[in-house]
Amino acid sequence: MARSSSGFVAGLTAAAVAAVAFLAYQASANAPADVSAKPRNTASAPAATTPGSPEKPAKDPLAVPANSGSGARVVYALAERRVWLVDQKGQATHTFSVMPSTVHPAPGTYTVTSRSGTVRGSDGVKIEHVVRFTTVQDVSIGFSAAVDGTLPTPDPSRKTGGIRMKRADGDAMWTFAAIGAKVVVVA
């Protein structure tokens, strides 16, 4: 019995070695000639430029919109669906994407007028870290995070004012934007 099981183990070992050798061959066939070269991602490669034309640098997500004022502030870019928390020096300390509400604030400068720890949103969802800064069409507009962590697209048939963010971003907003904090909305 010992003799046949050692033959079985030897067979399994030989099969494993053959499988590893085959996989190593496949990997080497797909490896670049120079493994120190950075791979090129053709899906995100920039469009060809004409000689002498400057290439567009990749946009820095921490770059605060130029037309957003100065000093400590919350910046909300409507078109980008993005928020920046900006310190007194004008540097973004945190940035994140948001899901806009169905009712939008006009570009301009506002201040945080009220805050709530946990409430029901105008869409019926339980929300937390609510930071309100204006009212449009009798709808309070503010930032909030759904307690269940979702970021659903709002129902376009309902007038809602909650600009939703992820819970971790809601924590950062809550810490940063006290009553009276400046909120700048840019197009």
Side-chain angles (χ1 to χ4, degrees), residues 64-65 67-78 82-88 96 98 104-115 129-136 140-144 161 163 165 172-174 176-187:
V64 180
N67 58 342
S68 67
S70 62
R73 63 201 183 277
V74 174
V75 178
Y76 172 36
L78 295 167
R82 178 161 289 279
V83 169
W84 292 261
L85 305 180
V86 183
D87 66 15
Q88 192 60 39
F96 49 91
V98 294
H104 309 289
T109 302
Y110 305 88
T111 57
V112 173
T113 56
S114 69
R115 295 168 22 121
H129 297 147
V130 182
V131 176
R132 296 176 201 87
F133 61 93
T134 193
T135 301
V136 176
S140 291
I141 307 293
F143 303 103
S144 63
I163 303 159
M165 61 194 98
M173 175 70 77
W174 184 255
F176 186 86
I179 301 242
K182 186 181 353 178
V183 177
V184 179
V185 178
V186 298

Side-chain angles (χ1 to χ4, degrees), residues 7 10 14 20 28 32 34 45 51 62 67 90 95 102 119 123 131 135 148 156 159 163 172 187:
V20 169
S28 68
D34 180 5
L62 284 177
N67 58 342
T95 184
T102 60
V119 296
D123 58 358
V131 176
T135 301
D148 67 5
K159 288 170 57 171
I163 303 159

